[in-house]
Amino acid sequence: MKLALVATLVASAAAFAPQANNARPSVAVEAENSRRDALASIAAAGVAILPAAANAAAGESPRFSVFGLIGDGSSYSEGAAYGSDQSAELYSPYSVYGNRGTADALYKEDQAVEIDRKKAYIAESQKRLANLPGYVDKKQWFNVKDELTRYMYETRGAVRGLAKTDEQKAVAKDFFQAMEEASLQATLKNQDKCAAASANSAALLDKFVSIY
């Protein structure tokens, strides 16, 4: 009986021994495979870098640029080169347009086309101001305010653009204030004051047209 127990214990111990020995080579193999995979990844990355490195000439130092103002504006990272590759001076390092006022500038102030467009805005505004008395008589305050804000945004820009002399600028200022007064009185629903301000706005715009 004792011999049988001893034999069983020996057999059990022998059964565990190979499993422990097998575990060590398995870990070692996995570690070796991991190292090989890592080396393969590094090699692949090196190959990917080679085409970029081929663009550099022998003996060249690294090229860089700071907004095209400092360094080499022709470097690949610069992209558009912030104007350093343009033949004429630009409005700013971030612009593709030339300086205003120069002979080769695309935009020239007070061109005939621009002046005609501003005059057309004012002519349309005169027609719209002529509608105000009818709106005031009917107490259509929303129409008065819409008429003074919807299109008059363009009117302000046109009047400011055409006002060059001190007299023109003074009339323009009075015109803007009259429009604001008409809008205010429409908001307050004050019929008499709104009618007076509306009539004054139309008269001042007519006066501005007569002196520009």
Side-chain angles (χ1 to χ4, degrees):
M1 186 67 179
K2 292 181 179 180
L3 292 174
L5 291 173
V6 171
T8 302
L9 293 172
V10 171
S12 300
F16 283 105
Q19 294 178 3
N21 291 336
N22 288 337
R24 291 177 182 175
S26 176
V27 173
V29 170
E30 290 179 1
E32 182 66 22
N33 290 337
S34 297
R35 283 194 293 269
R36 288 178 180 175
D37 291 341
L39 290 173
S41 299
I42 294 173
V47 171
I49 294 172
L50 286 176
N55 291 322
E60 266 192 353
S61 60
R63 293 183 294 175
F64 70 95
S65 175
V66 180
F67 300 118
L69 303 177
I70 303 173
D72 184 3
S74 65
S75 60
Y76 288 141
S77 62
E78 196 57 41
Y82 290 94
S84 61
D85 59 347
Q86 303 296 319
S87 60
E89 186 178 359
L90 301 180
Y91 176 74
S92 77
Y94 309 99
S95 173
V96 296
Y97 301 104
N99 281 327
R100 292 177 58 183
T102 58
D104 56 350
L106 294 177
Y107 171 77
K108 293 180 176 60
E109 193 172 4
D110 293 335
Q111 297 185 77
V113 175
E114 181 183 4
I115 293 175
D116 290 343
R117 183 175 65 251
K118 291 176 180 178
K119 288 182 177 180
Y121 287 145
I122 293 176
E124 178 62 24
S125 299
Q126 288 177 300
K127 296 177 183 178
R128 291 172 181 261
L129 287 175
N131 295 329
L132 295 185
Y135 296 146
V136 175
D137 290 341
K138 298 175 183 178
K139 297 184 179 180
Q140 295 178 351
W141 310 119
F142 64 94
N143 277 331
V144 174
K145 295 176 66 176
D146 285 350
E147 207 69 86
L148 290 171
T149 56
R150 180 173 50 199
Y151 191 84
M152 295 300 170
Y153 178 86
E154 299 292 348
T155 308
R156 288 176 180 269
V159 170
R160 285 195 179 98
L162 294 175
K164 302 299 182 182
T165 66
D166 291 340
E167 182 186 8
Q168 292 170 342
K169 292 178 181 179
V171 175
K173 181 179 179 180
D174 292 340
F175 168 63
F176 296 148
Q177 291 177 344
M179 283 201 309
E180 293 164 3
E181 178 67 15
S183 180
L184 173 62
Q185 298 305 326
T187 301
L188 298 175
K189 299 181 179 180
N190 192 324
Q191 190 172 18
D192 293 337
K193 290 184 178 180
C194 185
S198 299
N200 192 29
S201 298
L204 286 169
L205 186 58
D206 291 341
K207 180 179 180 180
F208 180 81
V209 171
S210 67
I211 61 175
Y212 72 67

XYZ file of all heavy atoms in Angstrom, residues 115-129 151-152 154-163 172 175-176 202 204-210 212:
319
model
N -18.128 104.235 -58.612
C -18.918 105.457 -58.403
C -20.333 105.288 -58.956
O -21.316 105.672 -58.313
C -18.209 106.658 -59.058
C -16.900 106.961 -58.311
C -19.115 107.880 -59.051
C -16.066 108.053 -58.954
N -20.448 104.683 -60.117
C -21.774 104.459 -60.707
C -22.613 103.535 -59.826
O -23.832 103.731 -59.697
C -21.633 103.860 -62.105
C -21.077 104.855 -63.118
O -21.105 106.078 -62.820
O -20.594 104.430 -64.185
N -21.983 102.544 -59.223
C -22.721 101.635 -58.354
C -23.240 102.358 -57.112
O -24.395 102.169 -56.702
C -21.827 100.469 -57.934
C -22.551 99.432 -57.085
C -21.684 98.227 -56.769
N -20.553 98.590 -55.925
C -19.291 98.629 -56.325
N -18.982 98.343 -57.573
N -18.318 98.965 -55.500
N -22.431 103.236 -56.544
C -22.854 103.999 -55.369
C -23.976 104.969 -55.711
O -24.922 105.149 -54.932
C -21.655 104.741 -54.786
C -20.620 103.823 -54.150
C -19.394 104.578 -53.672
C -18.380 103.632 -53.053
N -17.143 104.328 -52.627
N -23.886 105.582 -56.875
C -24.948 106.486 -57.310
C -26.261 105.729 -57.515
O -27.343 106.259 -57.232
C -24.539 107.198 -58.604
C -23.450 108.248 -58.412
C -23.120 108.942 -59.730
C -22.090 110.045 -59.524
N -21.750 110.732 -60.801
N -26.160 104.507 -57.997
C -27.366 103.700 -58.191
C -28.013 103.362 -56.847
O -29.248 103.349 -56.727
C -27.017 102.419 -58.948
N -27.193 103.086 -55.832
C -27.733 102.831 -54.489
C -28.510 104.047 -53.975
O -29.592 103.911 -53.390
C -26.599 102.515 -53.514
C -25.976 101.150 -53.687
C -24.620 100.964 -53.461
C -26.742 100.049 -54.062
C -24.034 99.712 -53.610
C -26.160 98.803 -54.207
C -24.799 98.636 -53.978
O -24.234 97.401 -54.129
N -27.946 105.209 -54.190
C -28.593 106.435 -53.711
C -29.877 106.707 -54.471
O -30.902 107.110 -53.887
C -27.613 107.624 -53.821
C -26.447 107.429 -52.839
C -28.328 108.939 -53.570
C -25.378 108.494 -52.923
N -29.872 106.479 -55.796
C -31.083 106.691 -56.592
C -32.212 105.770 -56.121
O -33.375 106.200 -56.010
C -30.790 106.454 -58.072
N -31.893 104.520 -55.805
C -32.910 103.590 -55.298
C -33.380 104.005 -53.912
O -34.567 103.867 -53.580
C -32.327 102.173 -55.263
C -33.260 101.111 -54.700
C -34.518 100.929 -55.510
O -34.524 101.257 -56.708
O -35.527 100.446 -54.934
N -32.471 104.540 -53.110
C -32.827 104.986 -51.762
C -33.799 106.159 -51.812
O -34.698 106.267 -50.967
C -31.565 105.390 -50.991
O -30.681 104.287 -50.865
N -33.622 107.054 -52.788
C -34.551 108.173 -52.924
C -35.975 107.674 -53.206
O -36.950 108.225 -52.677
C -34.082 109.102 -54.054
C -32.843 109.913 -53.693
C -32.353 110.761 -54.861
O -32.006 110.242 -55.924
N -32.330 112.074 -54.660
N -36.094 106.621 -53.996
C -37.412 106.052 -54.284
C -38.023 105.438 -53.015
O -39.221 105.565 -52.762
C -37.295 104.981 -55.361
C -36.821 105.499 -56.714
C -36.668 104.359 -57.714
C -36.137 104.845 -59.046
N -35.941 103.722 -60.009
N -37.199 104.807 -52.222
C -37.703 104.141 -51.011
C -38.094 105.167 -49.941
O -39.071 104.962 -49.207
C -36.657 103.168 -50.485
C -36.459 101.964 -51.404
C -35.281 101.105 -50.979
N -35.105 99.992 -51.892
C -35.546 98.746 -51.679
N -36.199 98.469 -50.559
N -35.343 97.782 -52.557
N -37.332 106.253 -49.850
C -37.692 107.300 -48.887
C -39.015 107.967 -49.256
O -39.740 108.449 -48.376
C -36.582 108.359 -48.827
C -35.285 107.932 -48.117
C -34.224 109.016 -48.237
C -35.559 107.617 -46.648
N -32.562 98.336 -46.928
C -31.725 98.745 -48.062
C -30.788 99.884 -47.694
O -29.754 100.080 -48.344
C -32.608 99.170 -49.236
C -31.870 99.356 -50.542
C -31.608 98.267 -51.373
C -31.431 100.609 -50.937
C -30.936 98.428 -52.556
C -30.760 100.789 -52.138
C -30.507 99.688 -52.948
O -29.831 99.846 -54.129
N -31.120 100.618 -46.658
C -30.341 101.798 -46.309
C -28.937 101.454 -45.799
O -28.089 102.328 -45.649
C -31.069 102.628 -45.251
C -32.379 103.217 -45.748
S -32.120 104.312 -47.162
C -33.804 104.579 -47.695
N -26.858 99.806 -47.569
C -26.067 100.133 -48.761
C -26.003 101.641 -48.964
O -25.003 102.170 -49.457
C -26.684 99.456 -49.992
C -26.721 97.940 -49.930
C -25.331 97.330 -49.987
O -24.366 98.049 -50.303
O -25.221 96.117 -49.741
N -27.072 102.333 -48.601
C -27.110 103.792 -48.772
C -26.032 104.461 -47.935
O -25.354 105.379 -48.409
C -28.493 104.338 -48.354
O -29.500 103.606 -49.029
C -28.608 105.807 -48.703
N -25.881 104.020 -46.706
C -24.855 104.614 -45.834
C -23.469 104.462 -46.443
O -22.675 105.405 -46.473
C -24.898 103.963 -44.454
C -26.109 104.347 -43.614
C -26.122 103.585 -42.302
N -27.267 103.933 -41.481
C -27.274 104.902 -40.578
N -26.183 105.620 -40.377
N -28.357 105.152 -39.869
N -23.170 103.272 -46.922
C -21.854 103.050 -47.526
C -21.647 103.888 -48.769
O -20.551 104.423 -49.002
N -22.694 104.035 -49.576
C -22.581 104.828 -50.803
C -22.383 106.299 -50.491
O -21.549 106.982 -51.114
C -23.837 104.631 -51.657
N -23.142 106.810 -49.519
C -23.021 108.232 -49.161
C -21.635 108.509 -48.574
O -20.990 109.505 -48.913
C -24.135 108.630 -48.177
C -23.880 110.022 -47.612
C -25.493 108.575 -48.865
N -21.178 107.642 -47.696
C -19.841 107.839 -47.114
C -18.759 107.774 -48.193
O -17.774 108.505 -48.152
C -19.568 106.768 -46.055
C -20.307 106.982 -44.755
C -19.712 106.117 -43.650
N -20.394 106.330 -42.396
C -21.352 105.554 -41.919
N -21.754 104.507 -42.628
N -21.914 105.804 -40.757
N -18.941 106.881 -49.156
C -17.934 106.735 -50.210
C -17.869 107.922 -51.144
O -16.805 108.247 -51.683
N -19.010 108.605 -51.335
C -19.052 109.745 -52.258
C -18.795 111.076 -51.572
O -18.520 112.072 -52.252
C -20.406 109.783 -52.971
C -20.706 108.625 -53.926
C -22.124 108.730 -54.459
C -19.705 108.603 -55.078
N -18.891 111.096 -50.257
C -18.684 112.355 -49.522
C -17.185 112.634 -49.400
O -16.477 111.965 -48.630
C -19.333 112.258 -48.142
N -24.064 114.600 -45.212
C -24.184 113.155 -44.994
C -24.467 112.851 -43.526
O -25.323 112.003 -43.209
C -22.907 112.453 -45.441
N -28.006 113.691 -42.735
C -28.889 112.702 -43.346
C -28.978 111.433 -42.491
O -30.073 110.903 -42.242
C -28.403 112.371 -44.761
C -29.056 111.172 -45.373
C -30.421 111.151 -45.614
C -28.305 110.058 -45.708
C -31.035 110.032 -46.170
C -28.904 108.951 -46.267
C -30.270 108.932 -46.505
N -27.839 110.965 -42.017
C -27.837 109.772 -41.166
C -28.628 110.009 -39.878
O -29.388 109.145 -39.429
C -26.396 109.375 -40.831
C -25.564 108.967 -42.017
C -24.197 109.203 -42.039
C -26.152 108.377 -43.127
C -23.430 108.827 -43.120
C -25.391 107.996 -44.222
C -24.030 108.233 -44.225
N -35.509 112.593 -46.660
C -35.594 112.672 -48.125
C -34.997 113.969 -48.644
O -34.283 113.989 -49.658
C -37.057 112.538 -48.560
N -32.676 115.862 -47.229
C -31.220 115.886 -47.058
C -30.522 114.993 -48.080
O -29.440 115.339 -48.574
C -30.857 115.436 -45.641
C -31.139 116.467 -44.542
C -31.010 115.839 -43.164
C -30.179 117.658 -44.669
N -31.120 113.880 -48.424
C -30.502 113.031 -49.444
C -30.545 113.722 -50.803
O -29.569 113.641 -51.576
C -31.211 111.677 -49.507
C -30.561 110.647 -50.439
C -29.111 110.381 -50.046
C -31.353 109.339 -50.444
N -31.654 114.389 -51.093
C -31.729 115.155 -52.345
C -30.653 116.249 -52.374
O -30.033 116.498 -53.421
C -33.112 115.783 -52.502
C -34.199 114.739 -52.749
O -33.848 113.610 -53.150
O -35.387 115.070 -52.533
N -30.430 116.883 -51.238
C -29.409 117.926 -51.160
C -28.014 117.332 -51.386
O -27.187 117.953 -52.080
C -29.481 118.622 -49.799
C -28.449 119.732 -49.632
C -28.570 120.414 -48.262
C -27.540 121.500 -48.111
N -27.639 122.170 -46.771
N -27.790 116.161 -50.809
C -26.474 115.514 -51.003
C -26.245 115.210 -52.472
O -25.128 115.417 -52.991
C -26.398 114.245 -50.173
C -25.094 113.509 -50.297
C -23.985 113.918 -49.569
C -24.966 112.433 -51.165
C -22.770 113.253 -49.692
C -23.760 111.768 -51.299
C -22.659 112.181 -50.564
N -27.265 114.713 -53.141
C -27.132 114.396 -54.563
C -26.810 115.649 -55.382
O -26.042 115.601 -56.352
C -28.430 113.726 -55.080
C -28.399 113.598 -56.608
C -28.632 112.372 -54.438
N -27.346 116.775 -54.969
C -27.157 118.013 -55.727
C -25.756 118.582 -55.582
O -25.346 119.429 -56.400
C -28.176 119.069 -55.298
O -27.926 119.477 -53.953
N -22.800 116.535 -54.965
C -21.650 115.660 -55.244
C -21.387 115.557 -56.741
O -22.227 115.879 -57.546
C -21.801 114.277 -54.618
C -22.800 113.335 -55.213
C -22.633 112.804 -56.505
C -23.910 112.927 -54.494
C -23.539 111.910 -57.033
C -24.813 112.047 -55.017
C -24.641 111.535 -56.289
O -25.545 110.651 -56.807
